[in-house]
Amino acid sequence: MTLDPARLIDPEVSTAAADIPPQTAWDPLTMRAAGAAILDHETPVPDGVTRTILAVPSGGEEVELRVHAPRHGANAVILSIHGGGFVSGQAKYDDAWNATLALRTGATVVSPNYRLAPESSFPGPLEDCVAAWTWVTTQYPEATWIAYGDSAGGNLTAGLTLRCRDTGAPMPDHVFLIEPVLDDRLNTASMRNATSTPVWDLPNATASWSAYLGDQDPTPHAAPAREADLSGFPPTFLLVNQCDPLMDEDLAFARALTEANVLTEAVLLPGTCHGILGLNGPRVAERARELVLGRLADLIDARA
């Protein structure tokens, strides 16, 4: 039988996803403008959290870091890397979610405003995340370190982790991959059948990878699904959507981690599409957010 996301998608998710502006990774300027029209504003800082904006050097330039810190928190830091198909998005668009992460988990949350493709293809965005990670591990040497990323941010999180492992840099203690983009080959059943899936589909994935890779050959640091040996990867949590083109590659990555003897938790959400944590209204979206917050909080409490 052929996977049919239209038959599986939760009706509440389908309704909420219809309000998301069309994704146009083949036209980054239009995609960025659509996102900015909704998200490009300053989010109030909630009580109990401080927001600091700073810059650190990266490849001869600077990358902005947005730091949300609880006034009374745990000795933990989350590097939170935003999504946007490599071609869109800004760290500040995640301010509300990152403040929530700080409040609910007690961790300091650091989000890099990495360079975007196609103006900066691989390895530029990854280098910015490496610079942010270096700042985190230098500023908080005794903390629990968590690398967290959503969608394209999940790719950069996995690529960063492999980069740390392969170069001997300080490794995350734990990794959280939320609906991560991992495989440039676009040859899984869930991807091949995703010609018109909500929020993200095969045409967008094709354009997104083309922009990110540019003229570079795909290495495991760019496309983590290509890594044949995931041994030494930190304990990992993956959140996977049932009606997402990325479903198969995400589940395959979870299996590959398991076969490499990495402690792995993979949660397949029923009837959900890409971008589920950002959807307002569906009950399953709220459950997904609570699941992620709960796993992070439990993890940090256990290491306190």
Side-chain angles (χ1 to χ4, degrees), residues 127-151:
E127 293 294 346
D128 288 348
C129 294
V130 169
W133 183 251
T134 301
W135 184 85
V136 164
T137 57
T138 301
Q139 293 294 314
Y140 303 91
E142 304 300 323
T144 296
W145 299 327
I146 299 170
Y148 171 107
D150 191 323
S151 190

Side-chain angles (χ1 to χ4, degrees), residues 47-293:
D47 291 341
V49 173
T50 61
R51 176 184 298 152
T52 304
I53 302 171
L54 56 96
V56 297
S58 175
E61 300 186 29
E62 289 188 332
V63 57
E64 177 188 276
L65 305 183
R66 300 178 75 85
V67 182
H68 289 85
R71 290 196 177 94
H72 305 287
N75 189 22
V77 183
I78 300 170
L79 182 71
S80 176
I81 306 178
H82 72 80
F86 301 117
V87 302
S88 186
Q90 293 190 39
K92 74 175 182 178
Y93 295 173
D94 283 358
D95 277 351
W97 175 243
N98 288 331
T100 298
L101 287 177
L103 275 175
R104 292 285 298 276
T105 70
T108 295
V109 181
V110 179
S111 186
N113 196 43
Y114 59 85
R115 287 170 284 173
L116 299 175
E119 294 87 346
S120 182
S121 57
F122 178 82
L126 180 60
E127 293 294 346
D128 288 348
C129 294
V130 169
W133 183 251
T134 301
W135 184 85
V136 164
T137 57
T138 301
Q139 293 294 314
Y140 303 91
E142 304 300 323
T144 296
W145 299 327
I146 299 170
Y148 171 107
D150 191 323
S151 190
N155 170 288
L156 292 165
T157 298
L160 167 68
T161 304
L162 290 171
R163 169 79 168 265
C164 291
R165 185 198 66 173
D166 295 344
T167 62
M171 290 276 284
D173 294 302
H174 294 271
V175 171
F176 274 65
L177 302 177
I178 310 301
E179 55 185 25
V181 174
L182 299 169
D183 195 342
D184 67 294
R185 292 165 290 195
L186 305 175
N187 198 34
T188 65
S190 64
M191 182 60 75
R192 291 195 308 270
N193 293 328
T195 54
S196 58
T197 41
V199 180
W200 199 245
D201 53 23
L202 177 58
N204 272 292
T206 302
S208 171
W209 274 111
S210 177
Y212 184 51
L213 293 176
D215 59 1
Q216 300 291 314
D217 291 330
T219 68
H221 291 184
R226 288 181 175 268
E227 177 55 64
D229 178 11
L230 292 171
S231 59
F233 213 86
T236 299
F237 173 90
L238 291 102
L239 193 70
V240 187
N241 300 300
Q242 192 177 32
C243 303
D244 189 333
L246 304 169
M247 179 186 71
D248 285 344
E249 64 197 70
D250 291 351
L251 293 176
F253 197 73
R255 183 180 182 88
L257 287 169
T258 299
E259 291 173 349
N261 298 307
V262 175
L263 286 173
T264 304
E265 179 181 6
V267 176
L268 178 63
L269 295 171
T272 55
C273 69
H274 196 70
I276 189 64
L277 294 190
L279 295 184
N280 295 316
R283 285 166 290 183
V284 68
E286 183 58 29
R287 292 200 302 272
R289 287 187 286 269
E290 288 300 317
L291 172 65
V292 171
L293 290 166

